[in-house]
Amino acid sequence: MTRTPRSTALDALHRSLGATMTDFAGWDMPLRYASERDEHTAVRTKAGLFDLSHMGEITVTGPDAAALLNFALVGNIATVGVGRARYTMICRADGGILDDLIVYRLAETRYMVVANAGNAQTVLDALTERAAGFDAEVRDDRDAYALLAVQGPHSPAIVKSVTDADLDGLKYYAGLPGTVAGVEALIARTGYTGEDGFELFVAPADAERLWQALTEAGAAYGLVPCGLSCRDTLRLEAGMPLYGHELTTELTPFDAGLGRVVKFEKDGDFVGREALAAAAERAESAPPRRLVGLVAEGRRVPRAGMPVVRDGQVIGEVTSGAPSPTLGKPVAMAYVDAAHAAPGTAGVGVDIRGTHEPYEVVALPFYKRQK
């Protein structure tokens, strides 16, 4: 039985704009509206407007909310101040990554966990199971929110023009309640494009009104609607991992080069502590494969799953690859054996349908915005 994809509150609007739609993680989402390269460039140089309502919001409340999240996740959530957010992960007992998350502390005993669309149910189930014995409630709030994002160098000016919230005081990885274009919103600053920008969590009934207001406010700044395709090339250039590509249950945060998110010093036990301590030790004594950037010397585009080779030997695997509009050449992220992971390592290639295409090993990210 094939399930009909879920639609966001902006579905009719996307279709009226001529969006190419695609089934993504069980949601019907806009892939692109016109040219994905133009959408990508708009975010890098002006601004783009995204519908991210497929993301999974889970609310955790109660006297033990912080203690539950400290037990369930690898980060130290108890130290997150009200109005701040933290990037973290939820792991299995064996240390494998179930998902990467952003946790917002909305009030003293109220948190919002934002999971990736494809993993939202898994995360909800894990948090619910791990809540046993804690005085805390885990609530599925996926239907309570629509999520719009404005990303790009002009995004502060655009959002400022339709809100009186203190955007200048809103730091990176923070969120505050406010009114945007007359709509009640949680305004966050935790983007996934490598650019400055804002995420606006609103009631689904308000999503279309807010989209139209932002479109009007952004017209003078070159704002364009953007789909998931350019979101992927933007995050790839910014060296940001994508679950199912750079992060999987087969990998621990240490395998992914993100061991810094695991906080062993926090109080009490947490799921995966023992396995992750062993993974941390392994990573130090005998580094596993490392996540690196690869830049093509030619024009052929690498794709996830393609072997990375050197001297006829397979030394790794591509996890994400695409043409980079900013660099003007194909790029990839790949896990490669530690011995070949140093930037500038000579003789590295990607096996693209039997041909070993030459690639340069570089440090991530490929692109970093000028502050």
Side-chain angles (χ1 to χ4, degrees):
M1 186 177 90
T2 56
R3 286 177 58 190
T4 307
R6 296 177 69 179
S7 298
T8 77
L10 294 165
D11 186 72
L13 189 144
H14 296 317
R15 292 172 193 280
S16 75
L17 292 172
T20 300
M21 305 295 285
T22 188
D23 182 348
F24 180 81
W27 288 82
D28 214 5
M29 297 296 294
L31 190 63
R32 71 181 73 80
Y33 296 85
S35 151
E36 55 206 49
R37 178 179 285 271
D38 290 349
E39 291 170 26
H40 180 111
T41 304
V43 175
R44 285 278 178 258
T45 60
K46 296 169 185 170
L49 178 59
F50 296 83
D51 177 11
L52 305 179
S53 303
H54 61 312
M55 300 297 281
E57 296 87 5
I58 300 161
T59 303
V60 180
T61 54
D64 289 351
L68 161 59
L69 290 170
N70 260 15
F71 169 71
L73 312 178
V74 301
N76 192 349
I77 308 305
T79 59
V80 178
V82 173
R84 298 308 304 266
R86 185 156 295 166
Y87 176 79
T88 186
M89 294 184 185
I90 183 166
C91 291
R92 302 190 305 196
D94 67 0
I97 302 166
L98 284 172
D99 200 13
D100 62 335
L101 313 163
I102 295 177
V103 180
Y104 297 89
R105 189 171 195 168
L106 303 179
E108 196 58 38
T109 59
R110 185 159 66 100
Y111 295 81
M112 182 168 69
V113 177
V114 181
N116 285 297
N119 296 332
Q121 190 63 48
T122 301
V123 173
L124 178 67
D125 292 345
L127 287 175
T128 303
E129 188 186 311
R130 294 173 190 188
F134 289 94
D135 186 1
E137 183 200 351
V138 176
R139 189 175 71 228
D140 180 0
D141 269 348
R142 282 177 285 182
D143 291 337
Y145 292 102
L147 176 57
L148 279 62
V150 186
Q151 294 280 301
H154 291 331
S155 55
I158 293 166
V159 180
K160 267 183 200 173
S161 73
V162 289
T163 185
D164 55 6
D166 177 19
L167 298 189
D168 291 333
L170 186 66
K171 297 184 172 72
Y172 189 50
Y173 267 75
L176 86 167
T179 304
V180 184
V183 169
E184 292 296 314
L186 170 67
I187 307 166
R189 204 170 200 165
T190 51
Y192 188 61
T193 60
E195 300 299 334
D196 194 7
F198 302 91
E199 296 72 49
L200 307 168
F201 294 86
V202 300
D206 291 331
E208 194 163 328
R209 176 180 163 193
L210 181 57
W211 179 284
Q212 299 288 21
L214 290 166
T215 298
E216 284 168 31
Y221 295 95
L223 175 85
V224 301
C226 292
L228 291 181
S229 187
C230 83
R231 183 168 153 86
D232 191 48
T233 52
L234 289 159
R235 71 90 197 168
L236 175 57
E237 287 184 351
M240 293 174 169
L242 177 64
Y243 195 88
H245 290 253
E246 288 72 43
L247 309 173
T248 70
T249 51
E250 304 306 305
L251 298 168
T252 73
F254 294 94
D255 298 324
L258 291 165
R260 64 181 180 278
V261 305
V262 182
K263 303 300 181 188
F264 293 113
E265 71 278 9
K266 64 179 171 175
D267 293 339
D269 194 17
F270 63 91
V271 177
R273 181 191 271 274
E274 208 174 297
L276 290 167
E281 215 169 279
R282 278 198 309 275
E284 213 161 288
S285 56
R289 285 184 164 179
R290 293 229 172 97
L291 188 63
V292 301
L294 298 174
V295 177
E297 290 179 22
R299 307 304 310 168
R300 295 184 75 188
V301 179
R303 297 297 180 195
M306 288 182 172
V308 181
V309 293
R310 190 180 186 213
D311 299 331
Q313 302 295 311
V314 174
I315 59 162
E317 187 176 299
V318 171
T319 54
S320 297
S324 163
T326 306
L327 273 65
K329 47 182 81 168
V331 299
M333 285 201 271
Y335 281 109
V336 302
D337 296 341
H340 309 285
T345 300
V348 171
V350 174
D351 186 340
I352 301 181
R353 295 177 201 85
T355 307
H356 292 187
E357 298 287 337
Y359 275 75
E360 182 190 355
V361 179
V362 300
L364 292 167
F366 300 102
Y367 165 86
K368 206 164 191 176
R369 72 183 169 99
Q370 303 300 307
K371 299 277 166 114

